[in-house]
Amino acid sequence: MFPNVLPRLLCTTALLTALTGCALGAFISPTTPLERAVGGTYEGVGVGGTGRVPYRLVLSVQEREGKASGVMTNLESRKAYAVSGKFQRVENGGAIDVGLFEEGNKYRGTLRGEIVGTKFSGVLRTVLLGRELLGYNVTLEKQTGEAAPASAPVPLAPVTPVPTVP
């Protein structure tokens, strides 16, 4: 009368286990210490044929897969480029070799360099008509937290009330 009860019960148990988030390897960290140390926001300048250009790089790396991705922004023109390519561990830092893409699919340049500590140093080459033309030596510093604005008011000491004499 109940010949299919056991297989249905096992399927239901397996499905319930999968849906509640129980998984093998649940204690594997999603990011490595190197990924956390290297990933983040970098700001600085590129110096090349057109002068000094300010840049911001928001970088994420995957050490196990050897991938780097993020966004490179020219802070002068406000143009943003998706970056995608290779990441390789180098001693306590890493090296990236990524392409820059505008609007997701228009190849606009390459960025190659190394991250040592909190500094990124490399070369940005812009691409026009399929050829690398202008090169910029890029030096960026990792941004760590928010800095207080220069015009922030200084808190004053509490004022004690002065009694008035009638």
Side-chain angles (χ1 to χ4, degrees):
M1 184 168 156
F2 297 105
N4 293 331
V5 172
L6 185 59
R8 287 183 183 180
L9 181 62
L10 290 175
C11 286
T12 303
T13 304
L15 179 63
L16 190 61
T17 302
L19 292 177
T20 59
C22 184
L24 295 175
F27 296 106
I28 296 175
S29 174
T31 59
T32 66
L34 179 63
E35 291 170 347
R36 286 189 297 275
V38 170
T41 302
Y42 294 81
E43 289 188 3
V45 295
V47 180
T50 61
R52 295 174 57 89
V53 179
Y55 287 103
R56 175 182 296 136
L57 173 64
V58 179
L59 183 66
S60 176
V61 297
Q62 296 173 332
E63 182 181 9
R64 292 178 189 102
E65 290 82 20
K67 295 181 181 179
S69 61
V71 177
M72 180 86 163
T73 305
N74 178 326
L75 297 175
E76 191 172 85
S77 68
R78 299 287 185 200
K79 282 194 170 188
Y81 304 91
V83 297
S84 179
K86 298 177 185 176
F87 171 78
Q88 183 177 8
R89 180 185 189 113
V90 178
E91 293 184 21
N92 293 332
I96 63 170
D97 183 357
V98 295
L100 280 72
F101 301 91
E102 187 176 19
E103 297 177 10
N105 61 354
K106 296 176 184 170
Y107 181 57
R108 295 295 188 231
T110 60
L111 178 65
R112 295 178 182 102
E114 286 192 4
I115 299 167
V116 178
T118 61
K119 293 186 189 291
F120 171 82
S121 298
V123 176
L124 169 68
R125 296 211 181 270
T126 60
V127 172
L128 184 62
L129 301 173
R131 301 188 78 131
E132 292 184 6
L133 295 178
L134 293 175
Y136 294 88
N137 291 323
V138 179
T139 305
L140 307 174
E141 182 79 29
K142 187 170 185 179
Q143 304 300 299
T144 55
E146 295 293 318
S151 63
V154 177
L156 299 174
V159 177
T160 56
V162 178
T164 57
V165 179

